[in-house]
Amino acid sequence: MIPELGQGALVVGIVLAGYGAIAAAVGAQTGRPALIESAQRAALAVFALVTACFLLLAYAFLTFDFSVRYVAQQTTLSTPFYYRVTAVWGALEGSILLWAWMLGLYTLIVVLRHRGERDLYPWALSVMLGIIAFFLLVMTLPAPPFERLTPVPADGRGLNPLLEDTGMITHPVALYLGFTGFTVPFAFAMAALVTGRVGDAWITTTRRWTIVAWYFLSLGLLIGGWWSYHVLGWGGYWAWDPVENAAFMPWLTGTALLHSAMIQERRRMLKLWNISLVILTFGLTIFGTFLTRSGVIASVHAFSQGSIGAFFLAFLGLVLLVAFGGLAWRWDLLTAQGELDSILSRESAFLLNNVFLVAAAFTVFFGTVFPLLSEAIRGVKVSVGAPFFNQVNVPLFLSLIFLMGVGPLIAWRRASIDNLTRNFLGPVAIGLVAAAVLHLVGVRSTLAVLTLALALFAAATIALDVLRGTRARLRAGVGLARAVTGLFLRHNRRYGGFVIHLGILLVALGVTGSQAWSVQTEATLTRGQAVEVAGYRFRFEGLSAAQESTHARVVGTFTVSRGGGAPIVMRPSKKFYRQEQAPIAGVDYRMGLTEDLYLVLGDFARDGSAATVKVLVNRLVSWIWIGGLVLTLGALLAIVPDDRLA
Amino acid sequence: MWRWLIPLSVVPVLGLLAYGFRVNPHDIPSPLVGRPAAPFVLRTFDGTDVSLASLRGRVVVLNFWASWCYPACYEEAPALERSWRAYRDREVSVVGVAIQDQPDAARKFIADFSLSFPNAPDPDGKVSVEYGVYGVPETFFIDRAGRIRLKQTGAVSDDLFRGEVETLLGEPA
Amino acid sequence: MRRAGLLALTVAGLVGGRSVEARAPAAPRLAAGPVAAAAATVPANAAPTIDEETVRRVAAQLRCVVCQNLSVLDSPSEMAAQMRAIIRERLAAGEAPEQVVQYFVDKYGEWILLAPREHGFNLLVWAAPVVSVLVGLAVVAVLLRRWTRPRARPATPVDPALRERIRRELDSLP
């Protein structure tokens, strides 16, 4: 009964969304507000229906309705409440439902904010409803969440144990909010192309949307890294897996868009480029869901099969062909003669920023599809993995760090020599001094020295700007605290951006430290035996077995001491799940500002007398997460509406 | 005019991705086909030794399996046993290697399917690597001269076994 | 029923572990062997011996065959541990790192390398970053040149103080 209701709601949703898309378009074309309002009501109804679907599916999960195949696949009678909720979006069908629901939510917000507007809004509404209709269609045909299972099993299969983690609440939600968020700028860009109003309206309307989507995407990526580090048991946070890349590419082009949009706002240039970037970014989000769901490229995330890949490929093709076709159609409107005063200017810095970001996105894209290309052309399967991506992306990211230092302080239009020396002499000196100090202290890795020196240079430019601004306010007789906060709030976009930059620099610090200075070793220890790594002594005390509701667990106890300090106890484990053929590693770790201790239990002896353990001492990894927090603060600051502030 | 190149350039990318539907990223062709099979000496679950050298002159079907490999290994085990019984007097040997498995589970698997051909574990994974094994089940058909002639990823059927073995039997040692 | 199953699994796990029967009646793999010996003698605070470093470097180039996209060095799986042991053995027997890598390529094909060998068709993927940056820089250079071309408009004289104030205000814009 409930599942049929849900499926029925989806079908009604498709019809309404399709109707709304057409009505809004016709209404916009023929100038009939009544049709547009009807489309608005359809949008509200669609949101209500998709929400109902979501609640119905959640209800099926909470009541152990194993007659629904999706529920039987994801949970067992012993799955705890918490995971029963997150299991709703734990696999293919539910994830599409989540995506569709977020699209509905964003459409609702667009309706509430822009209703009554006449130029772009109706067309944007039409595009968004059309996209929702597609996702609902996917849920009806290849991936129905409410599909019945006969005969009804007595118990379910159970959630993939790797997903039994708090990351399951936050990672997909944040990531999807980011992905779907880019639909809004895309819709408005399409509206601009259709109406020919390719001026600034569409970009100023969507500025805040772009930041919000970008922020959630950043958050999703960072949480994914956190989850990989703490759950997957290999001691790393990023593997350049194809699906990780699929989320990274729109992030790169989205970052490029954030910056080049600023040029359009101020100089009315780069319209063609900005629309292309929006189309590209949205296209990459669809490409991302295609990769995750089609099984075309082997990946740790791929959780699909069947005809769904064809659906997404067709949709991707349709979107790109229509969007870029529209771009070609409106070409003349978009290319205007730009004017720059000087090559040495912030505009140039932003252009360079775009070059490196888009080059990085292209590199990641080409590397990701290259195995397919190699097979198609040569008939030989090759792998393109972490060693490749790390090597080729490093120079690109270093250039970007350098530009992060240059961009914010170099003048718009024309940077005079005076401007350059005033702003950059100090930070450049600091960077050089840092490099020298690091070298003297004994840092051997040139890459680490270079990265840290550049990061310090960029941080110094930010600090210099804050210092100058604060000093100017202090001179006006304001107290220090008020000066700083006033500065930040008055120019919240600028300083929000700076704080975000700072967050990125901290992430760079964490990445550099962990890549350059982490140590690991693997050892087989008998009871009482110890291994020394990086000044820590890890002694194997013994094994014990425990039983949880969904799995059996073997835990290794290790005493860790350093010098004369108090010992701590760490308990890495191996978890044996009924439905999984290989045991899942349960990592134990201790996080610190400079070092993380990380233990992975390997093989163990029959009688518990010996165990193999992988010991990692990772350096500076915590700064990646700290950088993420700082990034969050910066993004919050940047999107506060200007009119609300002093 | 040139502007239309932009939407057009999308087409080859789509084509490449569509090509992806036709290939299986998990299906890796083996470079060992046509090359001499790597020698091995393994101790079976019964305690006897089996070596490739001692089987020279016979057609050897080398099958890698695991008790957790469901459903493929469970499908092919009866087929392998049937084929083994049909061909054992005709200079054909079947050898099973249990990889990444627990001894008790492997023994149970052998007992459940009443496998009468020699089965051995691969304790340190060396034989698996020597044969480029990356999943289960994988089966190698080795001719009388000791060369690998066919690698089958996935379950072996009676027809496949018969077809390949008959061909190889027809060849001189 | 399921509880009994889990308990049996636990016992089996503890008793059986993932250890394997020794082929010969030698001591089980876990207690003896070069790995344990090396572990017992790893000195405090020092970098690992050259051998371990080389093992890691080779392992980092190879793809773990049972995982998705992880290297043999990073992977926590059983098979990867066995592959690391094979690498260690071969290096200890005197093989050069390239030879060990080639051994795996001979068995598995080019697919087992995590970065494509830099020759022939594969050069395309290695060239992609360089080419895209160069193309991007070229486009920007052309655009900048076109956009900074001197314009023919006569400049109206502007009061220098006003110009300075305008410049300062522009600079302070976000």
Side-chain angles (χ1 to χ4, degrees):
Chain A
M1 176 53 185
I2 300 285
E4 278 71 29
L5 264 183
Q7 203 64 23
L10 285 177
V11 175
V12 175
I14 298 178
V15 172
L16 283 178
Y19 163 74
I22 298 174
V26 170
Q29 183 71 2
T30 56
R32 282 153 64 182
L35 272 180
I36 299 175
E37 280 177 37
S38 169
Q40 268 172 200
R41 284 194 292 275
L44 299 180
V46 167
F47 177 68
L49 284 168
V50 178
T51 310
C53 276
F54 207 93
L55 293 173
L56 287 171
L57 191 60
Y59 180 74
F61 269 89
L62 290 175
T63 56
F64 299 108
D65 186 355
F66 293 133
S67 74
V68 178
R69 181 180 55 81
Y70 185 59
V71 179
Q73 187 187 318
Q74 293 286 90
T75 54
T76 68
L77 285 169
S78 57
T79 307
F81 171 79
Y82 177 81
Y83 292 131
R84 264 182 282 145
V85 172
T86 65
V88 173
W89 56 79
L92 176 63
E93 293 86 345
S95 70
I96 308 252
L97 182 55
L98 183 66
W99 190 293
W101 184 79
M102 285 177 178
L103 279 178
L105 180 66
Y106 280 127
T107 310
L108 177 70
I109 300 178
V110 166
V111 166
L112 292 176
R113 282 184 64 102
H114 296 281
R115 65 154 47 137
E117 287 176 26
R118 303 225 330 265
D119 299 323
L120 297 175
Y121 160 66
W123 287 103
L125 181 64
S126 172
V127 169
M128 294 205 69
L129 284 172
I131 296 176
I132 293 183
F134 167 73
F135 278 91
L136 293 178
L137 187 69
V138 168
M139 275 196 283
T140 330
L141 293 176
F146 293 103
E147 193 177 13
R148 289 278 204 183
L149 190 61
T150 49
V152 179
D155 197 358
R157 186 181 168 275
L159 192 64
N160 183 334
L162 288 175
L163 300 180
E164 285 184 4
D165 180 80
T166 45
M168 262 315 282
I169 281 270
T170 42
H171 171 63
V173 171
L175 208 58
Y176 283 17
L177 280 174
F179 281 145
T180 51
F182 281 112
T183 311
V184 179
F186 174 74
F188 276 93
M190 289 299 100
L193 286 179
V194 167
T195 57
R197 294 173 192 277
V198 296
D200 305 326
W202 80 267
I203 216 168
T204 42
T205 308
T206 56
R207 181 187 74 86
R208 214 169 270 131
W209 284 107
T210 311
I211 297 186
V212 168
W214 179 90
Y215 166 67
F216 278 117
L217 197 53
S218 313
L219 196 62
L221 288 168
L222 285 167
I223 296 176
W226 167 277
W227 182 59
S228 168
Y229 189 63
H230 290 122
V231 175
L232 293 186
W234 61 284
Y237 42 80
W238 187 262
W240 296 104
D241 182 85
V243 171
E244 289 175 337
N245 297 347
F248 193 48
M249 287 185 278
W251 185 87
L252 288 167
T253 55
T255 309
L257 177 63
L258 278 180
H259 291 87
S260 66
M262 281 190 242
I263 300 189
Q264 182 169 341
E265 270 185 84
R266 270 167 195 72
R267 307 303 312 279
R268 288 177 168 46
M269 289 163 29
L270 299 185
K271 296 175 198 169
L272 180 67
W273 178 242
N274 283 326
I275 294 214
S276 308
L277 270 182
V278 169
I279 298 174
L280 202 57
T281 308
F282 177 70
L284 284 169
T285 63
I286 302 297
F287 177 67
T289 79
F290 164 76
L291 261 194
T292 330
R293 287 165 180 78
S294 65
V296 160
I297 300 184
S299 149
V300 67
H301 275 74
F303 59 146
S304 80
Q305 287 320 318
S307 59
I308 196 170
F311 267 81
F312 274 102
L313 187 60
F315 182 61
L316 179 67
L318 183 69
V319 162
L320 288 178
L321 287 171
V322 167
F324 279 124
L327 184 86
W329 171 43
R330 293 296 197 189
W331 188 271
D332 297 317
L333 284 179
L334 292 164
T335 47
Q337 188 60 293
E339 272 178 19
L340 273 190
D341 289 30
S342 159
I343 293 185
L344 264 149
S345 58
R346 192 175 299 178
E347 291 89 331
S348 304
F350 278 23
L351 284 173
L352 284 179
N353 150 300
N354 268 233
V355 166
F356 287 109
L357 282 168
V358 174
F362 177 71
T363 305
V364 173
F365 175 77
F366 201 61
T368 305
V369 299
F370 190 71
L372 210 50
L373 188 66
S374 171
E375 185 165 6
I377 307 272
R378 255 176 91 203
V380 174
K381 279 193 157 85
V382 297
S383 299
V384 180
F388 168 80
F389 288 112
N390 285 333
Q391 193 176 327
V392 301
N393 277 319
V394 159
L396 299 175
F397 293 155
L398 284 181
S399 312
L400 284 168
I401 294 181
F402 172 68
L403 285 172
M404 245 194 274
V406 170
L409 285 187
I410 198 170
W412 285 105
R413 289 180 171 266
R414 179 196 306 273
S416 62
I417 303 292
D418 177 56
N419 164 260
L420 288 177
T421 43
R422 212 162 53 93
N423 286 324
F424 295 108
L425 205 55
V428 166
I430 291 182
L432 290 172
V433 165
V437 165
L438 287 168
H439 191 72
L440 285 173
V441 163
V443 176
R444 291 174 312 164
S445 160
T446 21
L447 201 54
V449 172
L450 193 56
T451 315
L452 292 179
L454 281 174
L456 264 165
F457 159 72
T461 57
I462 297 178
L464 188 60
D465 185 278
V466 171
L467 207 67
R468 285 226 194 94
T470 313
R471 221 182 8 214
R473 282 173 171 255
L474 284 175
R475 255 188 251 124
V478 178
L480 180 61
R482 273 199 66 192
V484 174
T485 46
L487 182 71
F488 275 54
L489 291 178
R490 179 80 173 82
H491 303 287
N492 68 307
R493 280 180 63 183
R494 176 189 181 83
Y495 288 98
F498 283 178
V499 174
I500 292 179
H501 280 188
L502 202 56
I504 302 277
L505 291 174
L506 291 175
V507 171
L509 173 67
V511 170
T512 309
S514 68
Q515 299 293 325
W517 298 313
S518 297
V519 292
Q520 62 169 291
T521 197
E522 202 171 9
T524 306
L525 303 171
T526 53
R527 236 197 307 251
Q529 200 178 9
V531 63
E532 309 229 14
V533 184
Y536 291 92
R537 203 161 165 276
F538 298 84
R539 197 175 70 176
F540 173 50
E541 306 297 349
L543 293 174
S544 60
Q547 198 174 304
E548 313 288 327
S549 56
T550 50
H551 58 274
R553 191 151 59 136
V554 172
V555 182
T557 311
F558 293 82
T559 326
V560 184
S561 54
R562 178 185 203 152
I568 56 175
V569 178
M570 291 178 70
R571 297 197 168 88
S573 59
K574 258 182 137 85
K575 296 183 269 197
F576 298 85
Y577 287 82
R578 186 169 56 96
Q579 73 273 24
E580 301 290 324
Q581 61 215 21
I584 309 276
V587 173
D588 199 7
Y589 55 87
R590 290 286 182 280
M591 290 197 295
L593 271 186
T594 48
E595 289 181 326
D596 286 4
L597 302 178
Y598 196 93
L599 290 183
V600 185
L601 185 66
D603 252 14
F604 45 88
R606 314 164 147 251
D607 52 3
S609 62
T612 307
V613 66
K614 194 173 182 187
V615 178
L616 292 98
V617 178
N618 292 323
R619 304 259 158 73
L620 298 184
V621 175
S622 297
W623 287 97
I624 298 178
W625 325 125
I626 297 176
L629 285 174
V630 172
L631 199 134
T632 306
L633 294 174
L636 285 174
L637 185 59
I639 59 172
V640 175
D642 295 325
D643 42 290
R644 299 248 179 93
L645 303 170
Chain B
M1 185 51 226
W2 296 108
R3 60 183 77 163
W4 295 101
L5 271 184
I6 299 184
L8 273 173
S9 64
V10 169
V11 175
V13 177
L14 294 174
L16 180 65
L17 296 175
Y19 170 79
F21 290 130
R22 297 180 43 204
V23 296
N24 180 357
H26 299 284
D27 188 13
I28 321 287
S30 171
L32 296 174
V33 175
R35 303 248 290 275
F40 60 81
V41 178
L42 289 171
R43 172 148 300 175
T44 67
F45 286 103
D46 304 325
T48 54
D49 280 351
V50 59
S51 77
L52 186 62
S54 65
L55 298 173
R56 186 59 173 264
R58 295 170 72 88
V59 172
V60 179
V61 179
L62 184 61
N63 170 254
F64 290 87
W65 57 273
S67 65
W68 43 261
C69 144
Y70 183 83
C73 296
Y74 285 71
E75 279 169 19
E76 70 170 7
L80 281 170
E81 178 62 18
R82 274 195 298 273
S83 307
W84 160 242
R85 295 204 185 157
Y87 280 93
R88 63 193 299 175
D89 299 322
R90 292 181 56 187
E91 302 194 312
V92 175
S93 290
V94 179
V95 179
V97 183
I99 65 170
Q100 311 286 320
D101 213 345
Q102 295 189 30
D104 299 326
R107 286 178 198 273
K108 180 172 184 299
F109 184 90
I110 295 170
D112 284 348
F113 289 100
S114 311
L115 300 179
S116 54
F117 53 85
N119 277 282
D122 183 19
D124 38 21
K126 287 220 181 97
V127 180
S128 310
V129 171
E130 281 281 311
Y131 281 82
V133 172
Y134 61 91
V136 280
E138 289 186 13
T139 309
F140 295 84
F141 290 84
I142 303 170
D143 67 14
R144 294 181 192 260
R147 266 195 308 271
I148 299 177
R149 301 294 291 275
L150 176 71
K151 172 181 172 178
Q152 166 73 358
T153 27
V156 168
S157 65
D158 297 88
D159 291 336
L160 176 69
F161 190 102
R162 193 180 334 123
E164 192 59 28
V165 165
E166 290 290 349
T167 315
L168 295 181
L169 276 176
E171 294 171 7
Chain C
M1 163 76 165
R2 208 174 0 93
R3 272 198 153 259
L6 282 176
L7 192 55
L9 194 52
T10 312
V11 171
L14 190 50
V15 167
R18 297 284 284 169
S19 80
V20 290
E21 291 187 9
R23 190 175 354 128
R29 177 172 74 89
L30 286 177
V35 176
T41 57
V42 171
N45 236 3
T49 64
I50 304 291
D51 263 358
E52 275 310 301
E53 193 50 47
T54 319
V55 171
R56 276 200 278 277
R57 226 169 327 126
V58 172
Q61 295 177 47
L62 298 173
R63 180 177 184 157
C64 161
V65 296
V66 296
C67 325
Q68 307 281 22
N69 272 289
L70 280 184
S71 68
V72 167
L73 175 65
D74 289 329
S75 165
S77 73
E78 169 84 9
M79 181 104 198
Q82 290 175 334
M83 287 171 81
R84 285 196 292 269
I86 294 176
I87 295 173
R88 214 171 270 125
E89 240 179 72
R90 287 188 162 252
L91 285 173
E95 278 188 36
E98 303 79 45
Q99 287 176 295
V100 179
V101 170
Q102 187 57 40
Y103 166 71
F104 282 98
V105 173
D106 288 338
K107 298 296 177 184
Y108 286 94
E110 278 186 53
W111 163 84
I112 200 163
L113 293 174
L114 270 176
R117 282 214 168 119
E118 297 173 41
H119 66 72
F121 189 72
N122 296 337
L123 286 174
L124 267 184
V125 76
W126 288 101
V130 179
V131 166
S132 45
V133 168
L134 289 178
V135 165
L137 289 177
V139 167
V140 166
V142 164
L143 286 177
L144 282 180
R145 187 129 31 135
R146 197 190 302 173
W147 287 340
T148 55
R149 220 174 282 147
R151 292 170 294 277
R153 270 178 300 130
T156 52
V158 176
D159 174 27
L162 179 62
R163 183 185 291 149
E164 176 59 23
R165 195 179 126 220
I166 292 175
R167 186 192 68 76
R168 252 187 294 118
E169 291 210 32
L170 279 174
D171 279 1
S172 77
L173 275 178

